[in-house]
Amino acid sequence: MANLKAIRDRIQSVKNTKKITEAMRLVAAARVRRAQEQVLSTRPFADRLAQVLYGLQTRLRFEDADLPLLKKRQVKTVGVLVISGDRGLCGGYNSSVIKRAEIRAKELKAEGLDYKFVIVGRKASQYFQRREYPITATFMGLEQIPTATEATNIADELLSLFLSQSVDRIELVYTKFVSLVSSRPVVQTLLPLDPQGLEAADDEIFRLTTRGGQFEVTREKVTTEVRAFPRDMLFEQDPVQILDSLLPLYLSNQLLRALQESAASELAARMTAMSNASENAAELIGSLTLGYNKARQAAITQEILEVVGGAEALN
């Protein structure tokens, strides 16, 4: 009887756990939707910025513009910005981006270059601090849905490092969102800016939808329409000065996009992890219920045998 009670308590405990994991999955799904809405709301600014940069590019040669953010210099120290999460329970999201950052650090060391980490997220910060990696700055406690203000604060720190020549190049290690069940850590050079990378390009918008009661991601190709400035347009300022003012905005926009992709990857990983946990809990409940029924049947059979044995003894 004590064994039956233990099984009943275990079944109830697993059911409670399943409720929690299912709730966390739905919360992550709701936040993915909020993240995609924010991506859509920031697109007009990004599109207009791309149009202005394209127009300036047709009026002057970026390569000839003597601007600090475009200037390449001999690389001795590399700043590595690593974007991770503040929370766990999201599968291999944090471990994969941390591993990619470690690999990149070893590659830089093998090339004879020094490096400094700028960390976004508590998980990566704790990991690298315990192992005494060189960390210049950390950003923790960010919103799960990244904001332009947070991206600007991080961009200001990177600009300070680059313009003060504390680092000669800045690289970004973040998780690129592929689908609900797939994401990929990538390395991207942020500074100095590449003039060839400022042109407007086709983009994709990810939308979280439901079909047949299941979540799925659809992709939509978006093309930014850009036009050259009219030849008779007069600039109140020198185009180089305008470009110098716009490049920090472009950097902040690039960072915001990376933060949004990382957030979508983290939330999708959490959705997948909680979905798997719920499925495992359901299987465990089925197995425990089967074991409970067998034990209960055995107990009833034992009681019947005892009753029959007692009756035969009386006869």
Side-chain angles (χ1 to χ4, degrees), residues 185-243:
V186 296
V187 179
Q188 172 186 334
T189 299
L190 281 180
L191 292 172
L193 293 171
D194 183 6
Q196 303 304 319
L198 299 180
E199 298 95 343
D202 288 349
D203 200 358
E204 282 187 334
I205 292 179
F206 301 95
R207 297 181 185 274
L208 180 65
T209 59
T210 56
R211 177 179 296 179
Q214 298 295 324
F215 289 111
E216 66 175 20
V217 170
T218 60
R219 300 167 184 265
E220 178 183 342
K221 275 283 186 183
V222 178
T223 302
T224 302
E225 295 183 4
V226 293
R227 296 184 299 272
F229 290 151
R231 285 297 177 183
D232 58 352
M233 176 180 284
L234 298 178
F235 292 96
E236 192 170 317
Q237 290 178 298
D238 185 352
V240 175
Q241 293 180 348
I242 299 174
L243 182 62

Side-chain angles (χ1 to χ4, degrees), residues 1 4 292-308:
M1 204 60 181
L4 290 176
Y292 174 80
N293 291 335
K294 288 182 177 179
R296 185 168 177 272
Q297 184 178 12
I300 293 172
T301 303
Q302 181 64 31
E303 290 177 1
I304 292 174
L305 290 176
E306 290 175 357
V307 170
V308 171

Side-chain angles (χ1 to χ4, degrees), residues 14-288:
V14 176
K15 284 182 178 179
N16 292 337
T17 301
K18 184 175 181 294
K19 290 179 182 178
I20 294 172
T21 56
E22 185 63 19
M24 292 181 67
R25 183 181 74 90
L26 295 176
V27 168
R31 286 176 175 163
V32 169
R33 291 184 185 276
R34 285 175 54 199
Q36 78 182 22
E37 289 173 0
Q38 189 191 50
V39 170
L40 293 175
S41 66
T42 57
R43 278 204 63 84
F45 173 79
D47 291 345
R48 183 57 60 88
L49 181 61
Q51 291 174 6
V52 174
L53 289 174
Y54 180 80
L56 288 172
Q57 189 178 34
T58 60
R59 296 293 290 269
L60 56 87
R61 290 176 55 86
F62 281 5
E63 294 84 351
D64 298 336
D66 186 18
L67 297 175
L69 298 185
L70 297 177
K71 187 178 296 183
K72 295 183 180 180
R73 51 181 183 255
Q74 183 180 0
V75 179
K76 296 180 181 179
T77 305
V78 178
V80 182
L81 173 64
V82 184
I83 300 178
S84 71
D86 286 331
R87 303 170 181 83
L89 297 177
C90 51
Y93 167 77
N94 289 309
S95 60
S96 61
V97 73
I98 289 172
K99 182 179 179 181
R100 186 67 186 90
E102 276 192 312
I103 292 174
R104 186 55 184 159
K106 291 178 182 178
E107 291 173 348
L108 294 172
K109 206 68 177 175
E111 295 174 10
L113 302 175
D114 292 330
Y115 62 89
K116 297 178 180 179
F117 278 136
V118 176
I119 306 295
V120 176
R122 184 173 287 104
K123 290 297 182 180
S125 177
Q126 292 174 345
Y127 181 89
F128 289 117
Q129 283 179 353
R130 283 197 299 266
R131 289 157 180 79
E132 298 183 351
Y133 279 84
I135 299 175
T136 300
T138 57
F139 297 87
M140 296 184 292
L142 274 64
E143 296 289 338
Q144 282 206 314
I145 309 301
T147 64
T149 301
E150 293 170 339
T152 301
N153 292 337
I154 298 171
D156 289 343
E157 178 66 30
L158 299 180
L159 287 171
S160 175
L161 290 173
F162 185 75
L163 296 177
S164 65
Q165 299 189 11
S166 298
V167 298
D168 304 302
R169 187 174 73 220
I170 293 180
E171 297 180 351
L172 168 65
V173 181
Y174 74 105
T175 307
K176 189 173 182 61
F177 181 75
V178 179
S179 69
L180 285 178
V181 295
S182 177
S183 57
R184 184 175 71 254
V186 296
V187 179
Q188 172 186 334
T189 299
L190 281 180
L191 292 172
L193 293 171
D194 183 6
Q196 303 304 319
L198 299 180
E199 298 95 343
D202 288 349
D203 200 358
E204 282 187 334
I205 292 179
F206 301 95
R207 297 181 185 274
L208 180 65
T209 59
T210 56
R211 177 179 296 179
Q214 298 295 324
F215 289 111
E216 66 175 20
V217 170
T218 60
R219 300 167 184 265
E220 178 183 342
K221 275 283 186 183
V222 178
T223 302
T224 302
E225 295 183 4
V226 293
R227 296 184 299 272
F229 290 151
R231 285 297 177 183
D232 58 352
M233 176 180 284
L234 298 178
F235 292 96
E236 192 170 317
Q237 290 178 298
D238 185 352
V240 175
Q241 293 180 348
I242 299 174
L243 182 62
D244 190 30
S245 301
L246 289 180
L247 288 179
L249 288 177
Y250 176 79
L251 176 64
S252 296
N253 187 67
Q254 291 292 96
L255 270 177
L256 179 60
R257 185 60 187 267
L259 289 170
Q260 289 171 341
E261 292 243 0
S262 297
S265 300
E266 179 185 358
L267 292 170
R270 184 168 289 112
M271 281 178 60
T272 302
M274 294 301 99
S275 178
N276 292 337
S278 297
E279 291 175 1
N280 292 338
E283 292 179 3
L284 183 56
I285 290 171
S287 177
L288 288 172

